[in-house]
Amino acid sequence: MNTYRSPLLDRPGAVAATGFDAGVPAHYGDPMREQRVPGPVDLSHRGVVTVSGPDRLSWLHSLTSQHVEHLGPGSSTETLVLSPQGHIEHALYAVDDGTAFWAHVEPGTAPALVEFLDSMRFLLRVDVADVSDEFAVVWEPDTDQHGSYLSRVTDRGREVFVARSELARYVGDSASGTWAHEARRIAAHQPRLGVDTDHKTIPHEVGWIGSAVHLDKGCYRGQETVARVHNLGRPPRRMVMLHLDGSAERLPAHCDPVELDGTTVGFVGSAARHHELGPIALALVKRTVPVDVDLLAGGVAAAQQVVVDPDVGLHVRANRG
């Protein structure tokens, strides 16, 4: 159980998030304005793990799904730890500073990640540390490295590693909450591990091939499944974005069933109210569900938007010529 409580919850108007994002502000009184004019988002409930030592990149390259062996200082990446069967166990959002690999992970998962990495060290010159008590993550809309602060930069913004003692000062007075952050994430079709996935999820199902999985690298745990599904195509499920009936008073909850003609064909991951798109959600559904049919998500009517092609492996292979 997460017992963390951000100091930003003491600010006037701050409303605490619940569920996966418990411990930080969901909003500060006006979540729609916070979407339209995004400010820094307190993600200090997330775990922070570092891997230092001269062998860190080649070692992580051999263990995880992305090509990180030659990651340059200041370069950002996203990589996965898979089970031997190819199921996703950890998602790392990372940047290397030249001497250490910094990653933030889903709330509560850092200890298990560190335990796994420590078990794989053997005689290599690496040191793994859970530094969540010392460092926090703040999301910002800017897309540049930030001076003296280490940042993971993407086309959607940057995730800054900040000392916890500096958190409140760094965020400043124009913060946004996690509701706004999640709405933007869902609209961008970006899944979250444990929120939009379950224990059976493989990378192909949620669109992590390419962004978090490199298809032309050496062996790593779970690679056999990745290669087989890519070569043969047709993963068991596919992620969709759902445009929900705006007349419904509620959003479907996490793990609510997604139904077609009274039959359960998937589950809801995350849902939010977007300032332009209205109520939206991410869901995992069976690959065989037709892409043009309407569904029920937790009892709410929903139209699909394809995120992952039903024939993703064959589709990608065909396009490679």
Side-chain angles (χ1 to χ4, degrees):
M1 181 178 178
N2 180 20
T3 58
Y4 173 72
R5 186 180 189 280
S6 169
L8 274 68
L9 286 171
D10 295 327
R11 293 189 171 184
V15 175
T18 58
F20 293 98
D21 290 324
V24 295
H27 62 85
Y28 298 88
D30 191 349
M32 289 300 173
R33 180 196 60 78
E34 294 168 22
Q35 283 190 51
R36 291 191 296 269
V37 187
V41 178
D42 175 7
L43 300 178
S44 58
H45 58 317
R46 294 182 63 83
V48 179
V49 172
T50 61
V51 182
S52 56
D55 296 328
R56 68 190 183 285
L57 293 179
S58 59
W59 179 63
L60 289 166
H61 185 84
S62 71
L63 293 176
T64 70
S65 62
Q66 189 54 278
H67 198 298
V68 299
E69 188 171 17
H70 303 297
L71 195 67
S75 298
S76 302
T77 193
E78 180 178 348
T79 190
L80 309 173
V81 172
L82 305 180
S83 75
Q85 294 75 36
H87 302 141
I88 307 165
E89 293 186 343
H90 295 280
L92 289 70
Y93 303 88
V95 59
D96 195 84
D97 67 4
T99 61
F101 181 92
W102 292 69
H104 66 86
V105 296
E106 289 295 333
T109 65
L113 174 61
V114 169
E115 181 179 7
F116 166 72
L117 292 176
D118 269 335
S119 73
M120 304 298 290
R121 283 195 308 168
F122 306 113
L123 299 177
L124 294 173
R125 296 168 299 170
V126 294
D127 184 62
V128 182
D130 180 353
V131 295
S132 307
D133 289 341
E134 303 166 57
F135 291 92
V137 179
V138 175
W139 178 88
E140 294 180 318
D142 300 324
T143 56
D144 296 315
Q145 282 286 2
H146 190 280
S148 60
Y149 290 92
L150 185 66
S151 307
R152 176 182 179 266
V153 179
T154 73
D155 58 1
R156 296 181 51 240
R158 66 185 176 208
E159 297 140 10
V160 187
F161 294 90
V162 179
R164 287 196 178 273
S165 60
E166 300 180 36
L167 176 64
R169 181 192 63 78
Y170 187 91
V171 169
D173 298 326
S174 302
S176 296
T178 57
W179 280 12
H181 189 62
E182 286 292 277
R184 290 190 295 269
R185 176 187 66 81
I186 294 168
H189 306 163
Q190 299 295 315
R192 274 182 71 180
L193 183 66
V195 182
D196 303 302
T197 69
D198 60 15
H199 68 285
K200 298 183 297 182
T201 303
I202 60 175
H204 315 68
E205 296 177 324
V206 293
W208 263 330
I209 299 297
S211 63
V213 177
H214 196 284
L215 291 171
D216 298 309
K217 58 166 285 187
C219 294
Y220 58 92
R221 193 168 74 157
Q223 186 194 28
E224 183 178 348
T225 296
V226 169
R228 182 173 66 250
V229 176
H230 175 67
N231 291 329
L232 299 179
R234 302 181 179 182
R237 300 174 298 180
R238 59 186 178 89
M239 191 172 73
V240 298
M241 189 172 85
L242 300 177
H243 292 269
L244 302 162
D245 181 359
S247 66
E249 295 183 356
R250 63 178 183 85
L251 294 171
H254 178 250
C255 283
D256 271 357
V258 175
E259 299 172 290
L260 174 61
D261 297 331
T263 299
T264 296
V265 294
F267 69 90
V268 175
S270 46
R273 298 188 186 277
H274 192 273
H275 71 107
E276 292 180 334
L277 301 176
I280 54 176
L282 294 178
L284 267 181
V285 301
K286 292 180 179 179
R287 180 188 59 81
T288 53
V289 172
V291 300
D292 55 353
V293 298
D294 291 340
L295 304 168
L296 278 180
V300 179
Q304 296 181 66
Q305 180 175 338
V306 175
V307 175
V308 174
D309 190 297
D311 297 320
V312 60
L314 291 175
H315 177 71
V316 169
R317 185 175 64 181
N319 279 348
R320 294 181 71 192

